[in-house]
Amino acid sequence: MGNLQIPTNTLDLFIRSVEISSYLPGRVRLHSKKLIGNPGLEQQVQQQLGAFREIERVETNTVTGSILIYYVPEILRTNRDLRKVEEYIMTHARRR
């Protein structure tokens, strides 16, 4: 199988459904067209990402579709699944 990356959980599916706008260790900005004008989805995103104790804060904006995630890299990386997501984000972030 090698380097084939198949989504293995809800987090994988979520991260592949959004555009990764920017990445800095400790701060990730995602963009989702589905979030625009969708307060129900905003609440879901807040609840699901907010459930991770390794994530400090999540800011969402239903006008722009922005999802801003703040975390302490050393703490986040203690969670194997979140570490894999961060690695995916690092390699797929849009370069400016």
Side-chain angles (χ1 to χ4, degrees):
M1 286 243 161
N3 204 9
L4 182 62
Q5 293 182 343
I6 298 170
T8 56
N9 59 34
T10 308
L11 195 56
D12 282 349
L13 293 170
F14 168 73
I15 208 65
R16 285 166 170 74
S17 74
V18 296
E19 181 181 315
I20 302 161
S21 299
S22 65
Y23 164 81
L24 292 168
R27 184 181 176 279
V28 174
R29 183 180 299 276
L30 307 173
H31 184 265
S32 171
K33 288 185 170 93
K34 293 178 184 175
L35 186 62
I36 297 172
N38 190 340
L41 181 59
E42 178 184 38
Q43 186 177 8
Q44 259 187 300
V45 167
Q46 284 282 349
Q47 285 176 339
Q48 290 182 356
L49 293 178
F52 289 101
R53 63 175 178 74
E54 297 88 353
I55 293 177
E56 279 189 348
R57 189 169 86 234
V58 178
E59 295 176 7
T60 50
N61 185 319
T62 58
V63 174
T64 63
S66 172
I67 304 165
L68 191 54
I69 302 168
Y70 295 94
Y71 62 94
V72 175
E74 295 75 23
I75 294 172
L76 179 113
R77 293 171 187 155
T78 62
N79 179 314
R80 190 172 58 93
D81 290 333
L82 291 176
R83 187 175 64 239
K84 282 178 19 186
V85 169
E86 186 191 34
E87 289 166 2
Y88 177 87
I89 288 170
M90 279 187 238
T91 59
H92 291 83
R94 206 169 54 191
R95 305 286 178 232
R96 292 190 185 259

